[in-house]
Amino acid sequence: MKTDAVFEGGGVRAIAFAGAVCCFEEHGYKWQRIAGTSAGSIVAALLAVGYTGRELKEIIEGLDYLKFMDKGSLQSVPLVGSLLGLLIHKGLNCGNYLEEWIRGLLKAKGKTKFKDVSVRRQSRLKIIAADVTRKEILILPDDLTKYGMDPMEFEISRAVRMSSSIPFFFNPVHLPYRGGRSFIVDGGILSNFPIWIFDVKGIPRWPTIGFRLSECRSQQREQCKKGILSYALDIAETIIDRNDEIYLSDKDAVRSISIPTFGIKATKFDLTREERQKLYDSGYNKAKEFIGSWNFEKYIHRYRKR
């Protein structure tokens, strides 16, 4: 079955999406258009250029997440580097490694620009970022025309970097254009789960399935931490760890898979092999459960047929 897919942000826990993707592919689903925010944009980009769920799993199993916490020369200064990075570059980490890593994976498939995943200049891949200078959502590559740029010539890896630039955790991306410059950050601050992005009026040709992460909140209150660095990390984790489920309408909730993450934080870059497997299995099992109950015709009849 053909299907569009939308992946939520969620930091390192996006491993769970690989499990869900594998399950869908084993049941014969074929990806058409794909969208994602933050970590979800990484999954979306790799699927769009031809990676399979199994390949995603292999990539993740061999990934050293700590490399994503890369430092520039200023941020590497002992004792005060993090604070200086936050004050001057607006981030605790550079984010350069993420962009280089994803670029290498895209090159391996021979597809690095949006024109490589487009049909008649319509990209199959949509990535959500936020322009905090203009104070508006940024849908890549489409909205690049507002900046006088050719969307088809834009690097996918740069778009992923933009979407994944968690405020304060990573440096924002500078987007220069004729007449100005914008700071671009994690799309999760405006739309962490863009399930709406492929919706059309009337009856869609095939379904859009949403992949999101869920967490049962503990009743135990977190202790308030002092200091600017702790404050910045708390903001970063709040952005990518928030739970938007209460805001989903019935028509969106019924086409979305909520994957438990077992209290694992989005910025836990030192994930153990056991935690990676647990998240992967969680995604696989929830996808299997969803596929067993999902019926596109019933969805159309109840929510889209007028």
Side-chain angles (χ1 to χ4, degrees):
M1 175 185 286
K2 293 180 179 180
T3 187
D4 294 335
V6 176
F7 296 92
E8 184 185 52
V12 299
R13 301 170 307 178
I15 298 171
F17 294 147
V21 166
C22 281
C23 185
F24 268 79
E25 290 178 351
E26 288 175 6
H27 284 80
Y29 282 79
K30 305 293 183 183
W31 312 114
Q32 303 304 304
R33 296 171 298 180
I34 314 168
T37 298
S38 196
S41 74
I42 297 174
V43 176
L46 294 180
L47 290 178
V49 301
Y51 282 94
T52 66
R54 290 297 173 190
E55 286 176 312
L56 287 180
K57 185 175 187 294
E58 291 176 4
I59 291 169
I60 290 167
E61 285 178 342
L63 188 58
D64 181 359
Y65 285 95
L66 293 175
K67 289 183 178 180
F68 290 109
M69 299 175 68
D70 54 335
K71 309 289 185 183
S73 57
L74 187 65
Q75 293 158 329
S76 299
V77 174
L79 300 179
V80 297
S82 294
L83 181 58
L84 290 174
L86 190 61
L87 293 176
I88 296 175
H89 296 307
K90 303 178 180 64
L92 299 172
N93 306 286
C94 285
N96 293 336
Y97 178 80
L98 169 62
E99 185 172 357
E100 294 167 2
W101 172 73
I102 194 72
R103 182 184 293 118
L105 291 172
L106 299 178
K107 280 185 176 179
K109 291 293 185 180
K111 299 177 181 179
T112 59
K113 296 183 178 182
F114 279 100
K115 66 181 180 182
D116 300 321
V117 293
S118 298
V119 178
R120 294 187 291 275
R121 293 186 64 84
Q122 293 297 314
S123 177
R124 295 173 47 246
L125 172 65
K126 308 291 183 185
I127 291 176
I128 305 298
D131 184 334
V132 295
T133 304
R134 292 188 174 191
K135 301 177 178 61
E136 60 186 22
I137 193 171
L138 189 59
I139 300 177
L140 300 166
D142 304 18
D143 288 342
L144 289 169
T145 56
K146 299 178 183 178
Y147 301 82
M149 300 179 182
D150 183 352
M152 296 295 98
E153 294 298 327
F154 202 75
E155 294 278 348
I156 296 173
S157 57
R158 191 65 171 171
V160 171
R161 162 80 177 277
M162 290 175 168
S163 182
S164 303
S165 293
I166 307 164
F168 302 126
F169 195 83
F170 290 117
N171 296 349
V173 176
H174 296 196
L175 182 63
Y177 56 94
R178 189 173 183 179
R181 181 182 68 168
S182 286
F183 288 114
I184 312 298
V185 301
D186 194 313
I189 69 173
L190 295 179
S191 183
N192 202 38
F193 186 51
I195 187 68
W196 44 266
I197 199 165
F198 297 125
D199 284 351
V200 296
K201 292 182 178 179
I203 300 176
R205 291 174 293 174
W206 50 71
T208 295
I209 304 298
F211 298 80
R212 59 196 316 273
L213 304 171
S214 65
E215 189 57 62
C216 295
R217 297 297 181 186
S218 171
Q219 297 299 316
Q220 183 180 359
R221 293 183 178 179
E222 293 281 351
Q223 184 177 359
C224 182
K225 304 170 186 175
K226 297 181 180 180
I228 185 65
L229 296 181
S230 295
Y231 176 71
L233 283 173
D234 283 344
I235 291 177
E237 289 185 354
T238 298
I239 289 170
I240 58 178
D241 197 30
R242 62 181 181 163
N243 190 337
D244 291 335
E245 191 163 343
I246 59 174
Y247 300 111
L248 286 183
S249 64
D250 287 345
K251 74 177 182 65
D252 291 334
V254 74
R255 56 177 175 161
S256 300
I257 303 168
S258 293
I259 305 171
T261 53
F262 313 109
I264 298 173
K265 288 191 174 184
T267 54
K268 192 178 188 300
F269 286 85
D270 58 345
L271 279 176
T272 65
R273 183 172 297 276
E274 291 73 21
E275 287 172 326
R276 298 184 194 205
Q277 188 64 45
K278 190 174 184 179
L279 286 166
Y280 176 90
D281 291 341
S282 182
Y284 188 96
N285 293 332
K286 275 297 178 180
K288 186 176 182 179
E289 180 181 312
F290 175 89
I291 292 170
S293 60
W294 167 252
N295 187 293
F296 183 46
E297 288 71 26
K298 287 183 179 179
Y299 167 80
I300 292 296
H301 179 76
R302 182 170 181 179
Y303 296 104
R304 303 302 295 271
K305 200 169 184 178
R306 293 290 184 270

